[in-house]
Amino acid sequence: MMRRIVLLGAGGHAQVVFDTLKLCGDAIQVIAVLDDAPHLWGQLFQGHVIDGPLAKLAQLPVDGAFVAIGDNRARQRASAIVRAAGVPLINALHPRAVIAADAILGSGIAAFANVVVNPGARIADAVILNTACTVDHHGQIGAHAHIAPGAHLAGGVRVGEGALIGIGAAVIPQILIGKWATIGAGSVVVRDVPDHATVVGVPARILKRKD
């Protein structure tokens, strides 16, 4: 049975999501694209006219939605709009993503090409698993987090809500990454990272921290 969905967001990240959804076969059909940027309304996105703001979702007869927004905070807000509208969040899982049979996935997850999620992992809602990143056994990824392309999380790593693991970063086993923390590109994390902290370097050290 085909599921008619709305794509929320019309930026570069949304283009990757759209391509991933096309590769999911005939089971999913994007019927509308929404974005909160007024200058985009009426423009074409992948053959679809951008039909207005995200709030318009509540007026559309659809089977699901996907929040295709790269910014973690904005994705969190948009996901709340979807839930308030009573529309299910679907997952966008690339056919070349390798996800263990016993991994537990939430909803609204993007997993792009060459992602690997190993046994025992738990991925919460609205997470981005970007191209060729890996989550090893028993890793836990909090809601609205983003694991950037080529980032690698060793076994038992826990990533808090809204955290960003930058491109090519590596995290050794059993490390805790705090909520809304940022790991700089190419960093190697060898100790726990507090909530709201930004760490960079090899080994990673705190650059700044917000209350």
Side-chain angles (χ1 to χ4, degrees):
M1 179 179 176
M2 181 180 294
R3 301 179 69 184
R4 293 157 50 88
I5 75 156
V6 173
L7 198 66
L8 276 64
H13 177 68
Q15 291 182 37
V16 184
V17 169
F18 188 89
D19 185 66
T20 297
L21 291 172
K22 285 198 304 181
L23 294 172
C24 292
D26 296 333
I28 295 174
Q29 179 187 16
V30 176
I31 65 162
V33 177
L34 303 176
D35 195 287
D36 276 345
H39 70 278
L40 294 178
W41 299 346
Q43 295 189 25
L44 281 177
F45 176 89
Q46 304 297 310
H48 296 268
V49 175
I50 301 171
D51 198 25
L54 306 187
K56 190 172 181 179
L57 172 67
Q59 306 169 21
L60 301 176
V62 295
D63 304 310
F66 191 90
V67 179
I69 298 172
D71 179 85
N72 291 355
R73 289 284 189 187
R75 191 167 65 261
Q76 181 189 45
R77 293 191 293 269
S79 297
I81 291 172
V82 175
R83 293 189 178 92
V87 176
L89 278 166
I90 71 160
N91 290 333
L93 308 179
H94 196 284
R96 292 203 304 274
V98 179
I99 299 175
D102 69 344
I104 298 175
L105 303 185
S107 58
I109 294 167
F112 296 146
N114 300 320
V115 163
V116 176
V117 177
N118 276 331
R122 301 173 65 97
I123 314 296
D125 294 346
V127 165
I128 299 173
L129 300 175
N130 221 318
T131 308
C133 76
T134 61
V135 179
D136 213 334
H137 64 89
H138 300 97
Q140 298 180 32
I141 313 298
H144 316 109
H146 181 176
I147 315 302
H152 300 295
L153 311 183
V157 169
R158 291 171 292 160
V159 176
E161 178 185 17
L164 170 63
I165 313 298
I167 292 174
V171 184
I172 70 168
Q174 306 301 324
I175 291 294
L176 171 63
I177 307 295
K179 297 177 181 178
W180 303 100
T182 299
I183 310 303
S187 298
V188 176
V189 182
V190 299
R191 57 179 63 87
D192 290 351
V193 176
D195 293 351
H196 302 282
T198 297
V199 303
V200 297
V202 181
R205 300 183 184 278
I206 293 177
L207 179 65
K208 62 181 178 180
R209 182 174 178 178
K210 297 180 181 179
D211 293 333

